[in-house]
Amino acid sequence: MNQPPVPARRVLLAAPRGFCAGVDRAVTAVEKALEQFGAPIYVRHEIVHNKYVVRTLQDKGAIFVEATAEVPAGSIVMFSAHGVAPRVRAEAAERGLTTIDATCPLVTKVHKEAVRYAEEEYDILLIGHEGHEEVIGTSGEAPDHITLIGGPEDAANVTVRDESKVVWLSQTTLSVDETMGTVDALKTRFPLLLSPPSDDICYATQNRQTGVKELAAQCELVIVVGSLNSSNSVRMVEVALQAGAPAAYLVDNADGIDATWLREVRTVGLTSGASAPESLVDGVLERLAELGYRDVGTVRTADETITFSLPHELRRDLRAEASGRTRGAPHTA
Ligand code: SF4
């Protein structure tokens, strides 16, 4: 008797995936700074939340620090894609550091919104994750006007000065659906709650979440390549599970794959967070091929064409400026 055919094993690869325009700009900025000005280039905080990217840049001469106080006077320091509070810029200036700002322009947009609404005496409800670098930076723009909202449960307890002057903003890398749930809860409390002029959750976060939902509908297992401290990558795993994927895991690279996850799995969905380089996805594809998943298809849910120009400081001779400062010229941090 003929055996029934064994169903083919395959991988569905999400597109778009991986590096967004803000991450690409920040990583390229460190590489260009090293080329132009030589090592070391100090970088405050991980330039993007990916272990592999950080290690690769360290090998090229970048030194990652958590505070500007760790940077020797007269050095060049770059601010990461997540942005910094004005206090950090002021500290750098006081210490005579030369700065390069690799803050993603979409994070800068949220900072500007915060400043504008604070000037107009709004109370700002910032939806985001406590302790995340981006939230610390945005909150620092108007600490007296901003209250952090972690989720719908916080909506019940938050107090504002004037219920007719309240606006919500958000971290750029949240789950779109969960954020709208929080906004709904806030609107129940404050019917006059103002929304920002355009979405704060960035195009790349939204596109990667749309893609992972599509994978969840077609695959028994979804693998997201990204680091554990990458907010947008962690959200992608959550979104996959909420969208009905029977299983979803975050892996740093191919070594993170556990072959037991693949028992009974015919179709694996594969995608990557906005800070994960494509070489890591290639490694996962090779590992999956070894495990019998050689047929690879693509699920495209958006086209991305956005690019950002490099930080303007990279067009100047920063080393010459820094040595001018040590001779008494005014600094530009
Ligand atoms: Fe910018 Fe969005 Fe990328 Fe963050 S995830 S760096 S906000 S483009």
Side-chain angles (χ1 to χ4, degrees):
M1 202 172 76
N2 287 342
Q3 295 290 324
V6 177
R9 292 170 167 190
R10 63 180 183 148
V11 180
L12 288 181
L13 199 49
R17 63 180 174 278
F19 272 18
C20 58
V23 164
D24 191 44
R25 172 182 186 262
V27 173
T28 307
V30 180
E31 289 170 345
K32 288 270 180 227
L34 286 164
E35 267 172 44
Q36 270 177 249
F37 312 120
I41 296 291
Y42 289 83
V43 183
R44 187 186 176 279
H45 196 67
E46 291 188 352
I47 185 76
V48 299
H49 286 152
N50 186 272
K51 283 186 202 167
Y52 175 86
V53 170
V54 167
R55 263 200 312 270
T56 306
L57 292 172
Q58 274 171 333
D59 290 345
K60 292 181 180 175
I63 297 177
F64 292 88
V65 296
E66 279 310 307
T68 40
E70 297 169 52
V71 182
S75 303
I76 297 177
V77 62
M78 189 175 298
F79 298 138
S80 75
H82 315 96
V84 292
R87 173 186 55 77
V88 174
R89 292 179 201 283
E91 277 167 15
E94 279 161 22
R95 301 205 52 242
L97 305 178
T98 300
T99 57
I100 302 174
D101 190 356
T103 303
C104 175
L106 300 182
V107 174
T108 301
K109 170 178 130 338
V110 183
H111 281 224
K112 286 183 177 160
E113 286 169 351
V115 170
R116 179 163 68 86
Y117 286 117
E119 282 171 358
E120 293 172 14
E121 286 301 325
Y122 275 82
D123 276 334
I124 300 162
L125 305 179
L126 176 63
I127 304 171
H129 295 292
E130 190 171 7
H132 189 278
E133 197 62 18
E134 182 187 324
V135 163
I136 294 169
T138 306
S139 300
E141 292 286 0
D144 297 338
H145 288 77
I146 293 181
T147 304
L148 184 63
I149 302 290
E153 61 289 349
D154 288 347
N157 303 318
V158 64
T159 55
V160 298
R161 292 168 302 161
D162 176 354
E163 295 197 3
S164 70
K165 292 207 87 171
V166 194
V167 62
W168 69 271
L169 300 178
S170 83
Q171 191 179 330
T172 56
T173 49
L174 300 181
S175 150
V176 179
D177 297 335
E178 279 182 12
T179 302
M180 292 328 290
T182 305
V183 171
D184 288 345
L186 288 170
K187 279 190 173 155
T188 307
R189 274 283 318 276
F190 308 114
L192 297 177
L193 181 72
L194 195 66
S195 299
S198 61
D199 282 340
D200 289 337
I201 299 179
C202 82
Y203 79 96
T205 300
Q206 299 197 25
N207 286 346
R208 279 149 195 68
Q209 288 176 15
T210 303
V212 90
K213 281 184 191 170
E214 195 53 45
L215 293 183
Q218 299 189 42
C219 307
E220 296 102 335
L221 167 69
V222 174
I223 295 174
V224 179
V225 181
S227 289
L228 200 55
N229 63 344
S230 160
S231 172
N232 81 89
S233 305
V234 173
R235 300 291 85 74
M236 286 165 75
V237 173
E238 292 170 1
V239 168
L241 293 170
Q242 283 157 5
Y249 297 102
L250 183 68
V251 297
D252 259 312
N253 53 42
D255 295 341
I257 291 177
D258 181 340
T260 63
W261 297 343
L262 296 156
R263 279 191 208 129
E264 317 283 328
V265 170
R266 195 171 71 84
T267 307
V268 179
L270 178 59
T271 184
S272 51
S275 45
E278 189 63 8
S279 58
L280 300 179
V281 174
D282 292 341
V284 171
L285 280 173
E286 279 168 28
R287 177 78 184 116
L288 289 171
E290 287 165 13
L291 293 165
Y293 298 81
R294 291 184 193 87
D295 175 11
V296 180
T298 300
V299 175
R300 178 168 293 282
T301 50
D303 290 312
E304 285 183 355
T305 52
I306 292 181
T307 56
F308 295 131
S309 55
L310 287 172
H312 64 90
E313 297 92 335
L314 289 169
R315 295 193 286 274
R316 304 195 330 239
D317 185 351
L318 298 181
R319 290 281 184 219
E321 288 176 20
S323 70
R325 271 209 306 285
T326 53
R327 292 196 303 271
H331 65 69
T332 54

